Amino acid sequence: MNKRLIGVVAVVIIAGAGWYWTKSQTARNESVATAPGTDANETGAPLVDVVVPAQFSAQAQQGEVYYSAVCASCHGKNAAGQDGIAPPLVHKIYEPSHHGDGAFVMAARNGVRAHHWPFGNMPPVTQPLTDAELAAIIAYARELQRANGIN
């Protein structure tokens, strides 16, 4: 093949990849359902409607306390996310088979580069959390997820 043809093929592949990435990001962002009764354009509005289980385990009850103190200011009440601020943790993207418990620990400790949502990078949690406190927060998030059909 001559160099010109290789260059044209490379440009087509790069353009196609860019088109695919743009479409996949749009589809991913459209998959977030706005909670009923909220304005989708209202900054801070919940991004999903979360069913809260009637009863949490003892560990998840403690996790709810820690979550409310440390995580809810960004990820919203009941991990429903907040429009323009942070994603919902009650979402299929965070199912255990895709983001295991270790991913939550690493995000809290080290922050995480934005890769699923348009909210920007998540900084590390500034309030020190023990392993037991993080485990309780994860138990709370996982029980919320299970109550909403995310296993």
Side-chain angles (χ1 to χ4, degrees):
M1 274 188 177
N2 68 32
K3 290 181 182 180
R4 186 175 206 179
L5 180 58
I6 292 172
V8 169
V9 169
V11 166
V12 168
I13 290 171
I14 291 168
W19 175 85
Y20 177 79
W21 183 84
T22 301
K23 289 294 185 185
S24 68
Q25 292 301 310
T26 301
R28 191 173 280 146
N29 293 342
E30 289 172 355
S31 71
V32 177
T34 300
T38 61
D39 179 357
N41 297 319
E42 179 184 337
T43 299
L47 293 172
V48 295
D49 188 22
V50 176
V51 173
V52 178
Q55 183 69 32
F56 284 108
S57 67
Q59 184 183 30
Q61 287 176 23
Q62 190 61 54
E64 181 178 18
V65 172
Y66 299 136
Y67 175 89
S68 296
V70 178
C71 310
S73 62
C74 292
H75 289 286
K77 182 177 180 184
N78 300 319
Q82 294 191 82
D83 187 37
I85 299 172
L89 300 179
V90 178
H91 192 278
K92 65 183 178 177
I93 286 177
Y94 298 108
E95 67 187 352
S97 65
H98 185 66
H99 283 89
D101 294 354
F104 283 91
V105 171
M106 290 188 63
R109 298 240 192 270
N110 306 319
V112 66
R113 183 181 52 81
H115 58 286
H116 287 300
W117 305 95
F119 300 104
N121 297 337
M122 176 184 156
V125 174
T126 57
Q127 179 175 336
L129 291 166
T130 66
D131 290 343
E133 291 167 339
L134 277 170
I137 291 169
I138 294 166
Y140 170 68
R142 295 300 189 203
E143 289 185 29
L144 282 171
Q145 290 174 339
R146 281 191 296 278
N148 287 273
I150 301 166
N151 297 317

